[in-house]
Structures are given as C-alpha cells and as structure tokens.
C-alpha cells in the first residue's frame, strides 16, 4: 500500500512531466548545435583540452601504485622522489590545461549567449503590438535574462561536464581493466545501485524546477506590475497595499517551499550515493586481499591501491553523469523555451517584395476595413473613408468606439482582418515598413518619454536633426520658451517615463518630437484627460497650425480641434455612422449632435 501513495503522486508528476518535458528531437539538437558551429575552432581546442586533462588527471592515481611498489616497498629513494615529482608535474599540467579549458569555455559560452540575446531582442522588437499587450512583461524579461543566462550555464557546466566526465570515466575504466579485470568488475557492480535513487531524485527535481520557474515568472510579474510608478500609484489610490503584499507573500512562500523541496530532493539522493560509494573501496580491498592472500595472485599492494583510487575517480564522474540527466532535461527545457519565443510569428513584417517609393504624398484610404483583437468581438466594421494629402480629418465618437484602433492600423501596429488600408494608393501591407512608419507620425494619448534629457527624447525622432531644427520644432509645438526657462534647458532630465513634466508639457514635447520626424501624415490622438485652460490653450496653439499645413488625422475630444479639421467622421461601435462638416452634422441631429451636447458644449461653457 505504501507504494500506492507515492505511486499516485508520482503518477501525477509524470503527467505533468509528460506535458512539460521537451521532446529531444534531432531538430532540437541540430538547432542547438547550430549556435555552436560558428565557434567550432574554439570548441576543438576545448575538446582537446578536456581529453588531455582527463587523461592526465588519472595519471597520478597510477603513479601512486608505482610509488608504493617501486618506491616504498622496494625502498628505492631515488625512484620514490622521481615518481613524486612526476606525479606533481602531471597534476600541475592537468590543472594548467584546465585553466585554458575553462577560459575557452567561458569565451564560447559568452559569445553564444551574446548571439542568442541579440537574436531574442531583435525578434521581440519585431513582434506585433498585440504580443506586448497580451503577454506578461515578467515572462518576457525572464526569457531575456534568466533563460538566456541559463544557456551560459549549460555550455560552461552541463555540456563540458558531460564531455569531461565521460572521458574520465572511459580512461579510468580502461586503466582499471588493464590492471585487473576481477577487481574492475567488482567495482563496477556497485554502479547500478546509483541509478535507482538518481532516477527518482531526477524526476522530482525536474518537476520542482518547472514549478519554481512558473512561480518565478509570477513573482516577476507581480514586481513589474506593482513596483512600477503607475502600478504603485494604482495600488496606493485603491488602498491595495495589504492585498498586494499578501499576493506577493503567497507567491514568495510557494517559491521557498519549492526551493526547499528541490534542494532536499537532491540531498537525499546524495546521502544514498555517498553511502554506496564508500562500500566500493572496501569491497575492492576485500576481493583484492582474498586474491592476494588466498589465491597467491600476482597482484601487488600498489595495484590494489591504484584500483581503489581509480574507483574513487570513477564515482565522481558517474555521480555527475547521473545527475546530469536532470541538468540535461533542464537544459533542453531552457532551449525549448527560448526557441518557442524565436518561433513566435512576427506577423507584421515586410512583404518579400515590399515597395519603397521615392517619396511620400500622404493619401490615406480605408476600404471596407474590418478588424478585431480577438474572435469574440469585431471592433471595426466596414470602415471606408479617404483622406487626401494636405487635408485633415477629425474622428469623433464615444469612448471605446474604436478610434485609437483605427489609427493603429495605418502604421501597421496591427493588420486589418478584411478590407485594406492604403497609403498613397498602395496597400500598407505591401509597403516597406520602415518607409511607412517613417512617414507617419503619431502623438499618442498616453505620452511616453524615455528616462533621459529633453534633448535625448526629441532627438529620438531624428538623430540627424540639427540644434536649430530641434528648437524650431519646439517653437512650433509651443514648448521652446518653457524649456528655455528651465535651469538646464534642453538638458533637463525628464525622469522616469517623463514624470517630472506635466501632462501638457509632455504632450507638447511629443508634438515637437513628431515634428522633428517630419512625417507626411500626422496622427494626433488627443488626450481625453482635461488639462487646465492655459495648458489647453498652449496645446491648441501648437496643433491648429499643424492641422492647417499638414495631412492629419485627429482623434478629437475638443471642439476647437474638430472645427479645425476639413471633415469629421463619427464612429460608433466600430461603424462610421456620420460624416461631414460641423454644420452639416449639427443639422443632421444624430450621434454627433448628441456628442456635441454632452461633450463639446460643456467645454464652451467652461471657457
Ligand atoms: P477612447 O476614446 O476611450 O480612447 P477609442 O474609441 O479609442 O476609445 P479603442 O481604444 O480603439 O477605443 O478601443 C476599441 C475597443 O477595443 C474597446 O472596447 C477596447 O476595449 C478594445 N481594445 C483596445 N485595445 C485592445 C487590445 N489590445 N486587445 C483587446 N481589445 C482591445
């Protein structure tokens, strides 16, 4: 019955294991190998070093036999000194080779990690926006940091350990058999006793490691969510400190329990191994003694000592090699996780025959566009409109009607489900992405500034811009005078995400940033949050001339912006329900009139 209890539990773990264990296919190994191939020369050096140092490491054991037989028992002092010096020299040689080996190893591991990390970053930065909105930030960071660092561990430890231990083992076995086969077999008989506890411990540790990884992702997620500036703000204003603390504490508790269990799984395993390994030498002395004493075998004391030392040398590698099973699975899982990220489709990328026109005019057309983030709900339905270059369109509509979604389709942050979006008459999916995005400037509702100076943030749009151009853009955006009043001017640090600036200032800086980029089409997602009337006026003064002079699409929440546009499109539940000028729409007395009465009219009253 006692078998059933743990049996049932282990059955559960096996299921889990089956679900999570990576299939070690030829393809997976070949793929891992492809990262090693550029460094084959260095690998050859490592391999040679491992072979040499493994052989040399066995030598002192063999010399010990000679020290006993030819030096001590034969009472030959000269020979004794010579053998001792030889043994020391061999050990030194083997260690020196070891240094070379570990240097080369680290070098290879660091270079492979470098390659993989860059590849991962490059791949992630090509992922569609939907990837970032739907995946957990903690997961992404774990992949970038611990999983890729894991690769380094695997190369410096796991792979090398497999190689050097296998070679040491083979050399030790050959040496043992060449001394005395009876004693060699006696020593080997003990070996299978290792496999039973190893297998069990291996399985348990594997499952625990996976669980720990999941909890680690969870902890990273909590930290990322709650210890960010906006996260903390949310926690504070909702008084959720205790709740978040408890959530964190719970995950942390789970983590330590898993860690303790994992470390104990390994500990029990080591107890058994060390007990078993002390039986081996004794058995050799016994069998060797019987052979010498009873059967007058020509074995010498030195031979038996050599065999015992070699056996000692063998257990280490066997032990490690059995342990390696766990490491190996972990390594494969690590690579599988990384590769699963590499394999995520980029979705939005350049068509093979992407078109890159010489110049951009800025005509935009939506033709029967349908779009949804997920299958449950269609966000945009049959959206059709045209914006000729030099003109402007204001998009208005209730919150959640799909306005931001609509503009995100233009620079291909997402692709349409049906229909098409064209830029200068060419489907955006056929255009070169870099060209497209270079020619579209967006001022988003949620202004994002990097932690750096105002200058750095502005130059992000155009690294080649001159100081005069930068200042001109800021003048147009109505922010130059403000910046000049700051003690450090353009070199003022904006703080984390630009939090040292007010909402209105950030917006004007982001307008200047887009102006510096000088795109053919300007998209302005007006913030819904109301600003004080001075900031409002400053922004208004910045936008109005832009609308006049540029092809622009404005998601408008303010009457003045709407009035400045050539045409107004009214979006409701993802459908264009009305379009026309302010006057026409007011006369129609539909959705726009309603919006006007609820949203825009109160603004006038406020002013
Ligand atoms: P607002 O004026 O409040 O900014 P909006 O008209 O710009 O609203 P969108 O942001 O386009 O509206 O959102 C339209 C709908 O799509 C909303 O119901 C929103 O919940 C949903 N939505 C937006 N982004 C995503 C996303 N990344 N994944 C799934 N659904 C989304």
């Amino acid at each position: 019955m006692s078998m059933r209890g743990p049996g049932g539990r282990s059955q559960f773990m096996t299921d889990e294991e089956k679900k999570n264990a990576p299939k070690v296919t030829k393809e997976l190994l070949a793929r891992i190998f492809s990262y090693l191939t550029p460094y084959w020369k260095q690998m050859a050096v490592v391999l040679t070093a491992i072979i040499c140092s493994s052989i040399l490491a066995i030598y002192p054991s063999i010399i010990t036999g000679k020290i006993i037989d030819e030096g001590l028992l034969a009472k030959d002092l000269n020979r004794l000194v010579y053998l001792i010096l030889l043994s020391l020299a061999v050990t030194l040689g083997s260690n020196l080779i070891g240094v070379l080996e570990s240097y080369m190893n680290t070098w290879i591991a660091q270079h492979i990690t470098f390659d993989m990390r860059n590849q991962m970053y490059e791949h992630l930065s090509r992922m569609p926006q939907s990837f970032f909105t739907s995946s957990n930030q903690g997961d992404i960071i774990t992949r970038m940091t611990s999983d890729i660092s894991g690769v380094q561990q695997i190369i410096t430890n796991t792979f090398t350990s497999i190689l050097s231990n296998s070679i040491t083992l083979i050399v030790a076995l050959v040496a043992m058999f060449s001394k005395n086969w009876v004693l060699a077999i006696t020593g080997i008989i003990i070996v299978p006793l290792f496999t039973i506890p190893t297998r069990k411990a291996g399985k348990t540790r594997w499952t625990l490691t996976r669980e720990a990884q999941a909890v680690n992702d969870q902890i990273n997620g909590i930290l990322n969510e709650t210890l960010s500036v906006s996260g903390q703000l949310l926690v504070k204003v909702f008084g959720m400190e205790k709740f978040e603390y408890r959530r964190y504490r719970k995950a942390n508790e789970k983590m330590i329990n898993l860690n303790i269990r994992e470390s104990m799984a390994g500990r029990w395993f080591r107890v058994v191994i060390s007990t078993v390994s002390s039986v081996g030498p004794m058995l050799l002395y016994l069998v060797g003694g019987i052979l010498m004493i009873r059967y007058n075998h020509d074995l010498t004391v030195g031979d038996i000592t050599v065999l015992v030392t070699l056996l000692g040398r063998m257990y280490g590698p066997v032990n490690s090699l059995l342990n390696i099973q766990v490491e190996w699975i972990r390594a494969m899982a690590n690579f599988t996780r990384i590769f699963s990220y590499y394999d995520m489709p980029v979705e939005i990328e350049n068509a093979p025959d992407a078109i890159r026109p010489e110049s951009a005019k800025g005509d935009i057309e939506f033709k029967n566009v349908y779009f949804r983030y997920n299958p449950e709900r269609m966000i945009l339905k049959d959206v059709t409109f045209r914006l000729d270059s030099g003109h402007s369109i204001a998009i208005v509509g209730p919150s959640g009607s799909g306005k931001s979604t609509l503009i995100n389709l233009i620079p291909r942050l997402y692709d349409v489900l049906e229909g098409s979006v064209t830029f200068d008459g060419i489907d955006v999916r056929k255009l070169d992405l870099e060209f497209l995005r270079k020619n579209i400037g967006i001022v988003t509702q949620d202004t994002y500034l990097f932690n750096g100076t105002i200058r750095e943030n502005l130059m992000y749009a155009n690294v080649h811009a001159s100081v005069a151009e930068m200042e001109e853009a800021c003048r147009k955006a109505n922010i130059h005078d403000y910046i000049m009043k700051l003690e450090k001017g353009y070199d003022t640090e904006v703080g984390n995400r630009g939090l040292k600036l007010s909402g209105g200032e950030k917006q004007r800086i982001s307008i200047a940033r887009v102006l510096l980029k000088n795109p053919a089409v300007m998209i302005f997602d007006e913030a819904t949050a109301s600003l004080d009337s001075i900031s409002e006026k400053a922004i208004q003064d910045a936008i109005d001339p832009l609308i006049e002079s540029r092809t622009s699409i404005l998601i408008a929440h303010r009457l003045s912006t709407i009035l400045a546009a050539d045409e107004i499109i009214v979006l409701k539940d993802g459908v264009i329900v009305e379009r026309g000028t302010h006057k026409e729409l007011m006369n129609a007395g539909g959705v726009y009139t309603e919006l006007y009465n609820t949203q825009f009219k109160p603004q006038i009253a406020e002013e």
Side-chain angles (χ1 to χ4, degrees):
M1 276 312 278
S2 65
M3 285 294 289
R4 247 197 105 71
R9 209 166 132 245
S10 108
Q11 185 59 42
F12 169 76
M13 283 181 179
T14 319
D15 277 353
E16 180 82 352
E17 215 176 337
K18 260 190 204 153
K19 215 173 72 201
N20 294 325
K23 272 202 197 93
V24 181
T25 55
K26 250 194 251 163
E27 287 77 30
L28 175 65
L29 292 176
R31 197 164 176 189
I32 295 172
F33 201 70
S34 72
Y35 286 91
L36 307 177
T37 35
Y39 306 108
W40 70 269
K41 281 185 202 149
Q42 289 82 357
M43 304 263 300
V45 174
V46 170
L47 188 66
T48 318
I50 289 177
I51 294 175
C52 292
S53 71
S54 305
I55 294 176
L56 286 183
I58 291 290
Y59 246 83
S61 313
I62 295 168
I63 297 173
T64 309
K66 290 190 190 294
I67 288 178
I68 292 171
D69 289 338
E70 297 168 20
L72 296 175
L73 294 180
K75 301 199 168 153
D76 182 342
L77 200 56
N78 284 343
R79 183 93 186 130
L80 181 66
V81 172
Y82 165 73
L83 286 170
I84 287 172
L85 289 177
L86 181 67
S87 174
L88 289 176
V90 168
T91 310
L92 180 69
S94 146
N95 286 338
L96 285 180
I97 295 175
V99 174
L100 171 75
E101 182 217 309
S102 57
Y103 167 73
M104 289 308 282
N105 231 325
T106 313
W107 189 94
I108 296 172
Q110 286 295 342
H111 278 75
I112 291 172
T113 322
F114 173 82
D115 295 343
M116 292 190 100
R117 195 172 276 146
N118 289 345
Q119 189 185 352
M120 178 79 97
Y121 190 88
E122 208 259 341
H123 185 74
L124 288 181
S125 59
R126 281 165 56 221
M127 289 304 285
Q129 200 59 16
S130 56
F131 167 77
F132 296 97
T133 47
S134 57
S135 53
N136 187 335
Q137 222 183 12
D139 277 356
I140 303 177
I141 293 173
T142 311
R143 279 313 81 86
M144 275 304 290
T145 53
S146 40
D147 281 353
I148 298 217
S149 309
V151 170
Q152 190 187 323
Q153 286 288 322
I154 292 164
I155 294 164
T156 42
N157 299 338
T158 316
F159 284 179
T160 332
S161 164
I162 293 177
L163 263 177
S164 72
N165 286 319
S166 311
I167 295 168
T168 311
L169 197 62
I170 292 168
V171 176
L173 275 176
V174 169
M176 280 175 85
F177 272 96
S178 66
K179 281 276 169 218
N180 184 296
W181 66 270
V182 181
L183 289 187
I185 289 176
T186 312
I188 294 167
I189 283 172
I190 308 289
V191 173
L193 288 180
F194 285 104
T195 49
I196 303 155
T198 308
R199 278 195 145 186
K200 211 173 145 22
K203 267 187 189 160
T204 318
R205 278 185 67 189
W206 158 236
T207 320
L208 292 173
T209 310
R210 290 291 308 201
E211 281 176 38
Q213 178 80 41
V215 180
N216 195 22
D217 282 354
Q218 198 188 341
I219 290 181
N220 276 345
I222 297 179
L223 292 181
N224 260 314
E225 268 174 24
T226 59
L227 293 188
S228 64
V229 179
S230 21
Q232 257 308 304
L233 189 69
L234 194 72
V235 170
K236 285 201 166 75
V237 297
F238 282 93
M240 294 297 271
E241 290 93 339
K242 284 213 177 94
F243 172 82
E244 290 299 347
Y245 170 70
R246 274 197 299 271
R247 193 157 76 106
Y248 177 71
R249 198 188 149 96
K250 213 166 139 197
N252 221 348
E253 219 167 78
K254 226 161 132 186
M255 188 72 177
I256 59 159
N257 284 334
L258 282 170
N259 284 345
I260 294 173
R261 278 171 62 199
E262 189 188 353
S263 116
M264 282 325 282
R267 188 76 203 104
W268 287 119
F269 164 69
R270 283 197 292 276
V271 168
V272 179
I273 297 279
S274 72
T275 316
V276 173
S277 57
S278 64
V279 174
M282 295 306 134
L283 208 64
L284 280 196
Y285 283 125
L286 183 66
V287 177
I290 291 172
L291 285 177
M292 258 174 80
I293 300 161
R294 278 278 157 86
Y295 296 94
N296 252 341
H297 197 281
D298 61 354
L299 261 177
T300 63
V301 178
D303 287 343
I304 296 177
T305 318
V306 169
L307 283 160
V308 170
T309 334
L310 284 178
L311 189 70
R313 290 235 162 243
M314 228 173 85
Y315 282 137
V318 169
N319 200 345
S320 307
L321 282 177
L322 292 177
N323 249 333
I324 267 288
Q325 183 206 353
V326 181
E327 308 287 324
W328 174 258
I329 296 173
R330 196 184 276 176
M332 291 302 124
N334 200 10
F335 276 115
T336 311
R337 275 198 304 274
I338 294 175
F339 292 156
S340 72
Y341 259 60
Y342 285 167
D343 290 342
M344 274 183 310
V346 168
E347 282 172 31
I348 295 177
E349 57 186 336
N350 263 349
D353 49 354
I355 307 167
R356 196 183 170 99
E358 286 292 307
S359 60
K361 250 176 81 197
D363 293 337
I364 303 252
E365 189 171 7
F366 274 59
K367 287 185 200 153
N368 311 98
V369 168
Y370 285 81
F371 177 82
R372 62 182 181 206
Y373 290 103
N374 41 49
E376 289 94 61
R377 192 159 59 103
M378 195 66 82
I379 304 288
L380 294 179
K381 289 164 253 180
D382 202 16
V383 172
T384 300
F385 71 89
R386 194 183 151 77
L387 168 66
D388 290 325
S389 85
H391 290 76
S392 55
I393 278 187
I395 301 174
V396 298
S399 176
S401 56
K403 303 181 293 291
S404 306
T405 306
L406 187 148
I407 58 161
N408 283 342
L409 298 178
I410 306 172
R412 280 189 83 196
L413 293 181
Y414 298 89
D415 270 343
V416 299
L417 177 73
E418 266 179 55
S420 67
V421 176
T422 63
F423 182 90
D424 286 352
I426 305 168
D427 192 314
V428 288
R429 286 165 295 186
K430 293 202 179 106
L431 273 176
D432 179 70
L433 253 188
E434 200 192 331
F435 168 85
L436 178 70
R437 291 186 180 162
K438 201 174 131 245
N439 283 295
I440 292 166
I442 300 190
V443 178
T444 49
Q445 225 182 70
D446 176 20
T447 322
Y448 194 98
L449 297 182
F450 287 107
N451 197 355
T453 63
I454 294 178
R455 185 190 308 277
E456 283 162 356
N457 270 289
L458 288 167
M459 296 301 247
Y460 192 73
N462 179 2
V463 283
H464 303 298
S466 65
V467 173
E469 284 169 326
M470 179 182 78
E471 290 184 2
E472 179 57 25
C474 287
R475 262 186 216 105
K476 281 190 185 152
N478 224 347
I479 187 78
H480 175 72
D481 293 342
Y482 169 79
I483 296 174
M484 292 316 283
K485 269 189 233 144
L486 296 171
E487 198 186 322
K488 290 190 179 162
Y490 280 90
D491 294 316
T492 308
E493 293 281 339
V494 300
N496 199 4
R497 294 200 66 182
L499 284 174
K500 287 187 189 164
L501 298 169
S502 78
E505 288 149 14
K506 269 199 298 187
Q507 273 223 339
R508 280 180 285 153
I509 289 183
S510 74
I511 293 172
R513 182 167 64 181
V514 171
L515 285 175
L516 208 52
K517 185 175 164 183
N518 196 20
V521 178
M522 174 109 165
I523 298 173
F524 192 82
D525 195 346
E526 198 168 51
T528 33
S530 56
L531 299 165
D532 61 67
S533 51
I534 298 174
S535 304
E536 186 105 2
K537 174 91 176 49
I539 290 183
Q540 210 50 60
D541 291 347
I543 306 171
D544 285 354
L546 293 182
I547 303 174
E548 299 285 313
S549 61
R550 279 173 189 263
T551 316
S552 41
I553 300 183
L554 309 125
I555 296 185
H557 296 289
R558 297 184 179 86
L559 190 59
S560 54
T561 320
I562 298 169
L563 294 179
D566 297 322
E567 193 189 4
I568 302 162
I569 283 180
V570 185
L571 205 61
K572 190 175 178 222
D573 296 330
V575 181
I576 296 183
V577 284
E578 287 168 19
R579 62 201 303 168
T581 59
H582 174 73
K583 220 174 192 172
E584 286 163 3
L585 292 176
M586 284 306 287
N587 285 337
V591 180
Y592 182 80
T593 317
E594 200 183 310
L595 274 170
Y596 176 81
N597 289 328
T598 53
Q599 267 193 37
F600 312 138
K601 213 160 132 196
Q603 285 173 18
I604 305 171
E606 264 174 40
E607 284 167 19

